[in-house]
Amino acid sequence: MTLTTDSEIRIDPRWWSWEGAHGGHVAALALTAVRDRFTGGAHPVRTLTTHHLAPVDDSPLHFSGTAPAAVGRRTSTCVFTGHQNGVPVLVGSALFGAGRRGPSYDGHPAPDVPGPQDCRPLELPDELSPFARQLEIRPATEDLPLAGGDKAELTAWIRFLDGRALDAPIAVTLTDVLPPALYARWRTPRPVPTAELTVHLTDALNDGTHQGWALVRIRTEHAGSGWAVDDSAVWSADGRLLALARQSRVVRGQPAIGDVNS
């Protein structure tokens, strides 16, 4: 049997970015909108994929979707669309699956960096990242945004100023919350919006939420012809891998002076 749903959400203006709502936050909202409706919260989310068709503005955002017949007792998939004013702005899918016995392996151990108490806070310019005002960001390496470095990689400790816990939607948001990794090589900002984002969530989230700091790393694997591929990882404060993500980004030209928010 196929299930359908339709829900409406308004974007919190605190989650604004260059051209509209922050892409990772929109993806997290999509996950929240479909998770309980389609699975009843019975199975953890394993993979979320979102294709960002257009910037999301402050109009009501509607999510609708279908849940085809389950592949198996422990696996289900939801295909969804987000639309504003009757126009699709986001399409995607979510895979949910119950835990089961199996081998354990961690191919992405947390990098060996100083703890958050030994790292200095970073304040991103409000005009570039309005959403960052909700976060405390402490770079854990010498690589900084707009510092003209040699490699396209940023690693930082991050926590929400309101103390919110690290659950699956927050892990999705965190995969995209640092500046694009190319910013570590540049000295002048430019928009690099998300076109597609796929996040894989680990079993570290099976047993509930995590508290406090998260360690987040983002790096550009390739850039060319106006496109970039970024990989990111999110670890809990105790070093457990929470999420891995890969996204395709559009690298836009530098905006004219005074057009940062255009």
Side-chain angles (χ1 to χ4, degrees), residues 8-213:
E8 176 182 309
I9 296 173
R10 283 189 177 271
I11 301 294
D12 187 332
R14 295 179 300 173
W15 280 102
W16 231 241
S17 187
W18 274 88
E19 299 178 333
H22 178 261
H25 178 63
V26 174
L29 290 177
L31 172 59
T32 301
V34 304
R35 179 183 55 188
D36 294 340
R37 186 68 64 90
F38 287 118
T39 71
H43 298 333
V45 59
R46 301 300 175 183
T47 307
L48 175 73
T49 297
T50 53
H51 297 266
H52 300 253
L53 308 179
V56 174
D57 59 27
D58 57 358
S59 303
L61 175 62
H62 296 265
F63 286 109
S64 60
T66 61
V71 175
R73 293 182 181 179
R74 298 187 176 185
T75 304
S76 60
T77 300
C78 170
V79 180
F80 57 83
T81 301
H83 44 277
Q84 290 185 311
N85 302 312
V87 178
V89 294
L90 183 85
V91 296
S93 63
L95 173 69
F96 302 90
R100 64 192 72 190
R101 291 184 178 181
S104 296
Y105 175 74
D106 186 359
H108 284 80
D112 185 12
V113 297
Q117 70 279 359
D118 297 319
C119 301
R120 299 179 61 182
L122 171 70
E123 291 188 12
L124 297 174
D126 287 349
E127 65 271 18
L128 297 183
S129 304
F131 64 86
R133 285 175 286 184
Q134 303 175 78
L135 308 169
E136 184 175 358
I137 301 175
R138 298 193 172 205
T141 68
E142 295 181 354
D143 302 304
L144 299 174
L146 304 179
D150 294 328
K151 60 180 180 179
E153 181 173 312
L154 297 167
T155 304
W157 292 100
I158 302 176
R159 66 178 174 184
F160 283 80
L161 294 177
D162 61 8
R164 70 183 67 182
L166 303 177
D167 58 8
I170 292 299
V172 169
T173 299
L174 287 173
T175 64
D176 189 39
V177 83
L178 283 176
L182 286 170
Y183 271 43
R185 290 178 51 85
W186 297 343
R187 293 189 180 276
T188 303
R190 67 179 69 180
V192 190
T194 301
E196 183 271 344
L197 172 67
T198 296
V199 183
H200 298 273
L201 290 305
T202 76
D203 64 341
L205 292 164
N206 283 8
D207 300 328
T209 61
H210 296 254
Q211 302 295 324
W213 292 97

